[in-house]
Amino acid sequence: MSGEMDKPLISRRLVDSDGSLAEVPKEAPKVGILGSGDFARSLATRLVGSGFSVVVGSRNPKRTAGLFPSLAQVTFQEEAVSSPEVIFVAVFREHYSSLCSLADQLAGKILVDVSNPTEKEHLQHRQSNAEYLASLFPACTVVKAFNVISAWALQAGPRDGNRQVLICSDQPEAKRTISEMARAMGFTPLDMGSLASAREVEAIPLRLLPSWKVPTLLALGLFVCFYTYNFIRDVLQPYIRKDENKFYKMPLSVVNTTLPCVAYVLLSLVYLPGVLAAALQLRRGTKYQRFPDWLDHWLQHRKQIGLLSFFFAMLHALYSFCLPLRRSHRYDLVNLAVKQVLANKSRLWAEEEVWRMEIYLSLGVLALGMLSLLAVTSLPSIANSLNWKEFSFVQQVFYLLRILSSPLYSFYTNLSKL
Ligand code: NAP
């Protein structure tokens, strides 16, 4: 871990709260770390690289010293906590009580709790890890921070991965100190309030795509409904009425007919809540009133619904490209040719049919192109580079084109099937 990583990223300089660089005192600020595991090693590397003087407290410093950057001092726990004012506790909750022998030396210092509970622990304990640590060390100030940053992200640096560090504590001064440290390490601190919020902060790494659950269920529900309808119409009905076996259509044709229906409905669901919200405000005669909860949630999920619409539209494009590759399609073509020969027809060029298909494909490609643009501009990294006027311009152009192209596209979709 020595070499390049030992070099300070911000050499003898720290970042002020306003983002500007400021000279640090000649003596680099000393920071303690309790624990010598994965997180402690990555944290020490980043702290050393950011110009801090680091002292690591381990139960077995001889064994672990070689794993840390050469500029970090690795020693016994008692020695490590004696001089720094800020100490990171990089050990698991179940081992907090083993640190109680250090209580006298830790008194009056800032303890940074970086721990993450497992799902089981989170449900089991009513008290957050940070509050538990505070109860064990009442003479210390506990700050919850850095738990949302993985050891890997710490080591790779803030330019690669999540930059936000969520911070909470009952002491504003301690929160400020840790916020400045986070900034000096290249991260963006986010004040989450008092230590009572620690439970919420600790739950964040446990969540699996929380804002995608409802939109995904909605998309799946729509898919099942449309698929069932298309299956009955294109497969079951011909089987019952004309005894035609079209079950081979189930994996590709029926799926492909279903995909644009889901994409369209999802796209409409992106814009519908905005219209409903505007109508509600007009009816109430004010914008200073809360929307009902269902509308509020709907408005908050528009981005996810839009991206799912894009996903289904992309699948539709891919499936459509695959349709001519099917064996059944080739049989159809051969049958058509045979019929043509038997009917003694030399040319089967229906001008109207050809135009329909050309326009159908052209509108589909245009719609997909616009949807791609909209999906890309909704990504935070791109959206952040656009000002409000540019963002709303893209939205308005898309909205206009959608209004114009959707009925046309559906019209041609249906015509092309006739
Ligand atoms: P780890 O690799 O297992 O390290 C835990 C360290 O705790 C050990 O190396 C050990 O160091 C120390 N320790 C102190 N007292 C102990 C005791 N009584 N029994 C056993 N170990 C004791 O775990 P980690 O991944 O570094 O995680 C450390 C903390 O950071 C956890 O609370 C975790 O939730 C949090 N965290 C980790 C990550 C990550 O990506 N790894 C991300 C966010 C938060 P010594 O043997 O040298 O004393």
Side-chain angles (χ1 to χ4, degrees):
M1 222 44 84
S2 53
E4 270 301 296
M5 290 312 294
D6 289 353
K7 289 183 197 158
L9 278 183
I10 308 173
S11 175
R12 303 210 57 75
R13 300 184 114 201
L14 283 182
V15 183
D16 270 347
S17 48
D18 62 359
S20 61
L21 290 170
E23 287 294 328
V24 293
K26 281 212 164 34
E27 186 79 13
K30 205 167 194 173
V31 181
I33 301 174
L34 283 172
S36 63
D38 296 336
F39 194 84
R41 286 201 294 276
S42 301
L43 182 65
T45 307
R46 181 68 25 218
L47 283 168
V48 166
S50 306
F52 290 91
S53 158
V54 176
V55 52
V56 179
S58 168
R59 291 167 307 160
N60 192 344
K62 258 193 177 161
R63 179 174 53 91
T64 49
L67 302 169
F68 283 84
S70 51
L71 287 176
Q73 182 194 348
V74 184
T75 178
F76 286 102
Q77 291 176 334
E78 295 75 15
E79 203 186 327
V81 299
S82 58
S83 54
E85 282 309 302
V86 175
I87 289 138
F88 284 82
V89 182
V91 305
F92 287 98
R93 176 189 176 125
E94 69 237 49
H95 302 136
Y96 284 177
S97 54
S98 71
L99 304 174
C100 284
S101 56
L102 306 170
D104 287 343
Q105 284 138 288
L106 290 173
K109 301 192 175 189
I110 298 174
L111 295 184
V112 185
D113 181 297
V114 299
S115 69
N116 278 322
T118 59
E119 207 144 350
K120 195 171 152 215
E121 285 169 344
H122 188 67
L123 293 174
Q124 197 180 336
H125 305 296
R126 290 182 68 83
Q127 206 178 27
S128 66
N129 290 359
E131 288 167 306
Y132 173 58
L133 186 69
S135 71
L136 290 178
F137 298 94
C140 299
T141 302
V142 172
V143 178
K144 180 90 210 174
F146 287 94
N147 67 307
V148 292
I149 305 286
S150 70
W152 178 84
L154 260 180
Q155 197 161 325
R159 58 189 180 278
D160 191 6
N162 188 10
R163 288 174 62 92
Q164 270 186 357
V165 171
L166 279 56
I167 298 177
C168 64
S169 172
D170 290 336
Q171 287 285 333
E173 194 50 42
K175 241 183 335 192
R176 216 176 70 84
T177 306
I178 303 306
S179 297
E180 277 169 13
M181 279 184 75
R183 266 197 210 99
M185 290 158 78
F187 292 99
T188 311
L190 188 68
D191 190 343
M192 293 295 286
S194 70
L195 207 62
S197 317
R199 209 177 138 74
E200 192 190 325
V201 175
E202 286 171 11
I204 291 172
L206 297 175
R207 288 193 207 141
L208 180 70
L209 306 173
S211 51
W212 285 87
K213 202 171 163 186
V214 176
T216 309
L217 286 176
L218 177 75
L220 287 178
L222 282 171
F223 185 86
V224 171
C225 290
F226 279 114
Y227 186 89
T228 311
Y229 170 75
N230 289 324
F231 170 73
I232 293 171
R233 194 189 64 174
D234 297 346
V235 178
L236 210 55
Q237 203 190 13
Y239 183 69
I240 294 170
R241 287 213 171 156
K242 301 180 199 160
D243 205 20
E244 281 178 17
N245 184 346
K246 294 198 171 181
F247 285 90
Y248 69 91
K249 285 189 168 185
M250 282 172 68
L252 210 68
S253 285
V254 180
V255 173
N256 195 40
T257 318
T258 305
L259 291 170
C261 305
V262 180
Y264 272 136
V265 175
L266 286 176
L267 196 57
S268 309
L269 293 177
V270 174
Y271 290 98
L272 189 60
V275 177
L276 290 179
L280 198 67
Q281 285 177 342
L282 284 173
R283 192 162 159 259
R284 286 171 172 175
T286 174
K287 63 173 185 174
Y288 299 107
Q289 230 178 324
R290 271 186 66 84
F291 292 128
D293 278 351
W294 61 269
L295 187 56
D296 207 31
H297 284 128
W298 192 355
L299 285 163
Q300 282 171 28
H301 284 111
R302 281 178 298 175
K303 184 153 116 186
Q304 287 80 358
I305 298 174
L307 287 173
L308 281 171
S309 166
F310 174 60
F311 171 70
F312 279 89
M314 282 301 292
L315 283 185
H316 174 52
L318 287 176
Y319 269 78
S320 300
F321 276 121
C322 292
L323 287 181
L325 301 177
R326 292 169 309 156
R327 227 163 239 250
S328 55
H329 180 70
R330 267 180 272 154
Y331 291 149
D332 275 347
L333 285 179
V334 172
N335 283 340
L336 193 71
V338 171
K339 271 187 200 163
Q340 212 178 330
V341 171
L342 290 176
N344 208 14
K345 275 191 186 172
S346 60
R347 189 175 150 83
L348 194 72
W349 178 273
E351 188 74 19
E352 195 186 326
E353 184 77 12
V354 171
W355 270 102
R356 267 183 207 161
M357 191 47 73
E358 302 295 302
I359 295 172
Y360 162 65
L361 284 176
S362 171
L363 285 175
V365 171
L366 273 179
L368 185 65
M370 281 311 294
L371 197 56
S372 312
L373 182 67
L374 200 71
V376 167
T377 52
S378 75
L379 298 176
S381 52
I382 308 282
N384 290 347
S385 67
L386 300 174
N387 64 32
W388 175 243
K389 201 169 175 183
E390 289 161 344
F391 184 75
S392 58
F393 173 73
V394 174
Q395 294 283 332
Q396 280 162 10
V397 170
F398 175 77
Y399 193 57
L400 199 72
L401 281 177
R402 197 185 83 84
I403 288 173
L404 291 174
S405 72
S406 294
L408 270 175
Y409 185 65
S410 330
F411 176 66
Y412 276 104
T413 307
N414 290 325
L415 267 188
S416 63
K417 284 197 196 111
L418 291 179

